[in-house]
Amino acid sequence: MKTEFWLDSIEFKNGLNVNLKKDSIVVFVGPNNSGKSQTLREISHLTKGPKINNIILESLKISASGNAEVFLERIKSRLKNGVYMYYESTTNSGLNGDSLKDNWNYLLRGTQGSSVGISNFLVKSMNTTSRLSLVSPPDNIDFMNEMRTHSIHVLKEDSEKELQFSKYFKEAFGEEVIINHGAGRKIPLHVGERPKSTAENDRVSTEYQKKLRELPLLHEQGDGMKSFAGVFLSLFAEDFSVNIIDEPEAFLHPPQASLLGQMVSQKLGDQKQLFIATHSEHFLKGLLENATDRLIVIRIERSKSTNSVKVLKNSDLQSIWKDSILRHSNILDGLFHKRVVLVESDSDCRFYSAISSAIIDNEKISSPDILFIQSGGKHRFPVIIKALKELEVPLTIIGDFDFYHDENPTKFVYESLGGDWNNIKSDFLKVKKAIDEKRPELETDKLKEEIDLVFSSFSDKIIPEQKIKDIQSLLKRSSPWSQAKASGKAYLPAGDITASFNKVQSAFKEKNLHILELGEIEAFDKSIGGHGPKWVNKVLEKDLLSSEELEEARKFVNNTILK
C-alpha cells in the first residue's frame, strides 16, 4: 500500500476557498508585484504549521493516506545514524522514526499541526535563484550508508531513471545527459552523445571516462539549459508530493517554456501536486496541451494593500483552448497584465498600440501595463470576455460601428460588463432598424453592370484574387451596413434615431465599451486609401504625434485607453 500526501484545499484572505485534487496543477498568474511569489512562500510556510502574518492566504488543509510504516519505508534514503534527516539539509537534527510515525498518524486523523514534521520530507520549493544550481555536481556519497541529498544522487543510483531523464532532455535540446560515475569526489552531468560501454570498458573504465570527459558539462552550459534541466530533473527524479515552483520559465526562450510546460504536465504522471507562479503564456499553453483537466488557474492582482484573488473556471479555459483561432492568439497573455484592450483585428491592435506608445513616450508618463488583444472578429468577443472577466481582468473594448448590426453578441458583451440590456434595448433596436431600412446604394441593374465591368477587365481562366476583392467590395456597397460602417454616426437620420444612438453610446462608455462613432479605424485618416493592414502600414509611416489627420485618433486613445 502506498502513502499519499496532498493539499486538500487553500483558503485566501478574501474568503475564496479552492478545493484541490491529489494531482492538481495550480498556476498563479497576474501582473508584476501582485503577490504570486508571496503566495508560493505562504503555501510553503503553511505546510509547516499556521502563520499569523500571512498577507494572501488564510489557511490550507493537508490530507494524507497510507500506513505510517510504509511512509518510513518511502523516506528510508533520508535515514542517517538512526534519524530521518530533512532532504535539503545535513545540519538539522531531523526526527526519529517513532516521532515521524506519531506525526503521520495524527495527520491521518486530521490534526493539521502534525504536518510540520512531515512536510519537510514531502514538500519542495524551487525559486529562480536556486534552480540554476540544481544541476551543479553534488558530492559523491557512500550509497550503502549515506543519505541522498540531491536529485543527481537519484539518477546515479537508478540507471533506468537516468536513461529516461536523458531521453526527455534530448527531446528538449537534441542532446543526451550522461551521469559521470567515475569522476571522484563529485558527480557531474555531461551533455552530448553517450559513449558506448562494454563489459571490458564499463562506465568507470579509463577508455569510457576519456570519451565521456570530452563532452561538455551541463553545469557549464547556458542558464536556459541549466534552468530547464534543473526544474524538470527535480520534479522527475525526486519523490516530493507537493512541488512549489516560482517562475519555471525564467531564463527560457518561449519555445523552451512551452516545451517545459508540456513535459511537466505529460511526463511526470499524476502523482504530484504542483503550485506554480508564472509570467509566461507560453508555459501556460504548454500545460494546457496535456493537463486541462488538472489545471487550476488563479489570478492575483494587488491594489494598494489589498489583494484580489479569482479562479478561472476550467470550462472557460477549455473553451479558449478548443477555439483554434483563440488558441493561437495572445489572449492568455492577458492574465499577466493590469488591463486588456480588446479589439476586432490585428490592424486595430497595431494602430491603437502605436498611437498609445507615441503619446506615452512623448509625455514621459509611466507606461501603463496594457495588453492589446485582437479577437479575429466581434463574434469571438464573448468567449474572450467571459474568460477574462472570470478573473477580473479589467477590460476596455473597442468595436466598429457595425456593432449595432446584431443584438447578439452586443447584448452579451454589454451584460458581461455589468450593464442591464433592458435599459437600452429599445434605443439600440431603433438604431439598428433605421439602418436596416435604408435603401441599398446600388440598384440591381447598376450593381450587375459594375460586376460585369469587373469580369470584362480580365481574360484569365481563373479569377484573379484582386478581381474577387473588387467584386466583394461592390457587394458590400449594396448593403446599408457597409455604408454605415464607412460613415459612422453621420449615416444616421437626425432627430429621435440620433438621440437613441447617443443614449446607447453613453451607456456603453460607462461600461468601457467604445463603439467608433466615425465608423471604423480607417475613418481616422481618410487621406490614405486601402483597408486593414495596407492602411495601417501607411499610417504608421507618419509622425503619429503631429499629423493633423490623426488628431481625432490621438483624442480617442487619450480618452479611452490612456485616461
Side-chain angles (χ1 to χ4, degrees):
M1 178 182 178
K2 66 179 181 179
T3 57
E4 295 179 303
F5 175 97
W6 70 96
L7 305 192
D8 211 40
S9 63
I10 50 178
E11 182 182 1
F12 294 85
K13 290 284 187 181
N14 68 345
L16 175 68
N17 190 76
V18 180
N19 294 319
L20 307 172
K21 297 184 293 185
K22 297 175 184 179
D23 62 349
S24 289
I25 300 176
V26 184
V27 180
F28 297 98
V29 301
N32 286 329
N33 303 312
S34 60
K36 300 185 296 296
S37 297
Q38 176 67 26
T39 303
L40 294 188
R41 287 192 291 270
E42 291 184 10
I43 289 174
S44 179
H45 292 157
L46 284 170
T47 62
K48 297 174 175 62
K51 297 287 181 179
I52 60 174
N53 58 345
N54 286 339
I55 299 171
I56 300 173
L57 290 180
E58 180 66 29
S59 63
L60 52 82
K61 181 182 177 182
I62 301 172
S63 294
S65 67
N67 184 275
E69 294 287 351
V70 178
F71 168 63
L72 292 185
E73 177 66 20
R74 175 177 177 178
I75 62 170
K76 65 181 181 180
S77 65
R78 321 280 183 89
L79 187 60
K80 183 177 182 180
N81 299 326
V83 175
Y84 292 86
M85 306 292 288
Y86 299 151
Y87 190 84
E88 295 178 320
S89 173
T90 57
T91 59
N92 63 73
S93 56
L95 286 173
N96 62 45
D98 289 337
S99 295
L100 276 175
K101 284 194 289 185
D102 287 341
N103 282 339
W104 185 262
N105 287 326
Y106 281 130
L107 187 58
L108 291 179
R109 293 195 289 268
T111 304
Q112 296 294 294
S114 64
S115 66
V116 62
I118 303 296
S119 63
N120 288 294
F121 297 94
L122 298 177
V123 178
K124 181 167 184 176
S125 296
M126 287 182 274
N127 59 40
T128 53
T129 55
S130 66
R131 77 176 55 130
L132 293 179
S133 63
L134 291 175
V135 293
S136 297
D139 290 334
N140 213 337
I141 61 171
D142 178 353
F143 281 86
M144 295 296 293
N145 299 302
E146 292 188 82
M147 183 180 69
R148 289 82 172 133
T149 59
H150 200 286
S151 54
I152 292 179
H153 289 153
V154 178
L155 291 193
K156 182 174 181 181
E157 187 175 31
D158 190 333
S159 295
E160 186 176 331
K161 264 194 172 176
E162 179 201 347
L163 291 174
Q164 190 63 57
F165 176 74
S166 181
K167 175 186 174 183
Y168 293 152
F169 187 85
K170 189 172 183 178
E171 288 182 27
F173 295 99
E175 302 278 5
E176 293 183 89
V177 170
I178 309 102
I179 288 274
N180 191 325
H181 290 263
R185 291 182 301 161
K186 297 288 184 179
I187 312 175
L189 297 175
H190 293 267
V191 180
E193 184 178 350
R194 185 182 302 272
K196 292 182 179 180
S197 61
T198 64
E200 293 78 18
N201 294 296
D202 61 16
R203 296 177 299 184
V204 294
S205 67
T206 301
E207 183 176 338
Y208 182 93
Q209 282 289 309
K210 182 178 179 181
K211 292 179 180 178
L212 180 60
R213 295 183 190 203
E214 291 175 353
L215 300 179
L217 293 164
L218 178 56
H219 68 277
E220 293 179 353
Q221 302 309 298
D223 287 349
M225 183 178 284
K226 289 191 293 184
S227 179
F228 187 106
V231 169
F232 191 73
L233 175 58
S234 178
L235 292 172
F236 172 76
E238 298 168 344
D239 189 20
F240 288 97
S241 298
V242 176
N243 296 269
I244 302 169
I245 315 163
D246 196 8
E247 296 185 35
E249 75 280 0
F251 313 110
L252 301 180
H253 294 298
Q256 294 172 333
S258 177
L259 182 60
L260 180 60
Q262 293 178 45
M263 295 180 71
V264 163
S265 60
Q266 185 182 32
K267 308 297 187 183
L268 301 177
D270 57 0
Q271 303 303 310
K272 299 175 185 287
Q273 273 187 334
L274 307 179
F275 296 86
I276 302 168
T278 181
H279 288 277
S280 170
E281 67 159 321
H282 302 284
F283 178 77
L284 183 56
K285 285 182 175 180
L287 292 175
L288 281 165
E289 288 284 353
N290 300 290
T292 52
D293 57 330
R294 299 170 57 193
L295 201 58
I296 299 173
V297 177
I298 300 176
R299 175 178 161 89
I300 303 175
E301 186 166 359
R302 187 171 182 81
S303 177
K304 296 182 179 179
S305 60
T306 303
N307 293 90
S308 170
V309 186
K310 289 285 289 185
V311 180
L312 179 61
K313 292 180 181 177
N314 193 272
S315 58
D316 292 334
L317 267 180
Q318 294 195 40
S319 294
I320 296 171
W321 203 240
K322 290 176 182 177
D323 188 309
S324 59
I325 292 180
L326 296 182
R327 182 174 183 173
H328 298 289
S329 73
N330 65 333
I331 174 180
L332 291 176
D333 206 16
L335 301 175
F336 308 100
H337 293 265
K338 286 188 177 293
R339 185 153 59 96
V340 166
V341 176
L342 180 60
V343 296
E344 295 185 34
S345 70
D346 183 62
S347 296
D348 294 342
C349 272
R350 293 176 59 205
F351 178 72
Y352 292 124
S353 178
I355 298 289
S356 299
S357 296
I359 294 172
I360 291 167
D361 292 342
N362 181 63
E363 298 183 7
K364 295 181 172 58
I365 60 177
S366 177
S367 181
D369 186 11
I370 296 175
L371 176 71
F372 292 86
I373 289 180
Q374 63 93 10
S375 64
K378 63 179 65 63
H379 62 290
R380 293 186 179 273
F381 273 7
V383 66
I384 298 176
I385 293 170
K386 188 173 186 292
L388 294 178
K389 289 300 291 182
E390 282 289 337
L391 286 184
E392 295 187 347
V393 178
L395 277 170
T396 296
I397 301 172
I398 302 174
D400 292 341
F401 189 83
D402 59 357
F403 234 76
Y404 285 85
H405 187 279
D406 297 300
E407 188 172 355
N408 285 314
T410 308
K411 175 185 176 183
F412 177 89
V413 171
Y414 184 61
E415 290 181 337
S416 295
L417 298 173
D420 185 342
W421 184 251
N422 291 326
N423 291 340
I424 62 170
K425 178 177 180 178
S426 61
D427 290 294
F428 178 89
L429 293 178
K430 283 180 184 177
V431 176
K432 171 177 164 51
K433 183 179 179 182
I435 299 174
D436 284 337
E437 292 179 347
K438 284 248 185 178
R439 287 178 61 82
E441 181 183 321
L442 296 176
E443 298 291 344
T444 302
D445 290 344
K446 182 64 175 176
L447 178 60
K448 181 176 182 299
E449 180 183 333
E450 294 204 23
I451 291 177
D452 286 342
L453 284 174
V454 174
F455 276 101
S456 65
S457 66
F458 66 93
S459 57
D460 308 56
K461 185 176 181 180
I462 304 298
I463 302 177
E465 183 178 350
Q466 183 56 50
K467 299 303 178 181
I468 294 175
K469 291 181 179 179
D470 291 343
I471 295 172
Q472 289 173 335
S473 179
L474 288 171
L475 292 173
K476 284 183 178 180
R477 283 174 51 200
S478 69
S479 164
W481 282 100
S482 176
Q483 186 62 42
K485 185 173 179 179
S487 304
K489 182 179 178 179
Y491 192 66
L492 298 175
D496 290 345
I497 300 303
T498 296
S500 290
F501 174 78
N502 290 337
K503 180 180 177 181
V504 175
Q505 285 289 90
S506 178
F508 282 172
K509 289 176 183 177
E510 286 183 4
K511 300 302 179 184
N512 240 2
L513 171 60
H514 303 273
I515 306 305
L516 292 182
E517 297 193 357
L518 290 174
E520 55 189 347
I521 61 169
E522 288 81 1
F524 280 121
D525 189 347
K526 292 187 176 181
S527 68
I528 295 176
H531 193 83
K534 181 179 178 181
W535 178 84
V536 169
N537 290 339
K538 287 293 185 182
V539 168
L540 298 187
E541 293 176 1
K542 291 189 171 187
D543 186 328
L544 301 181
L545 290 171
S546 62
S547 172
E548 293 183 7
E549 292 88 354
L550 294 174
E551 177 61 24
E552 286 300 316
R554 291 191 291 271
K555 288 181 181 178
F556 179 80
V557 168
N558 265 316
N559 292 331
T560 60
I561 297 175
L562 300 180
K563 66 178 180 179

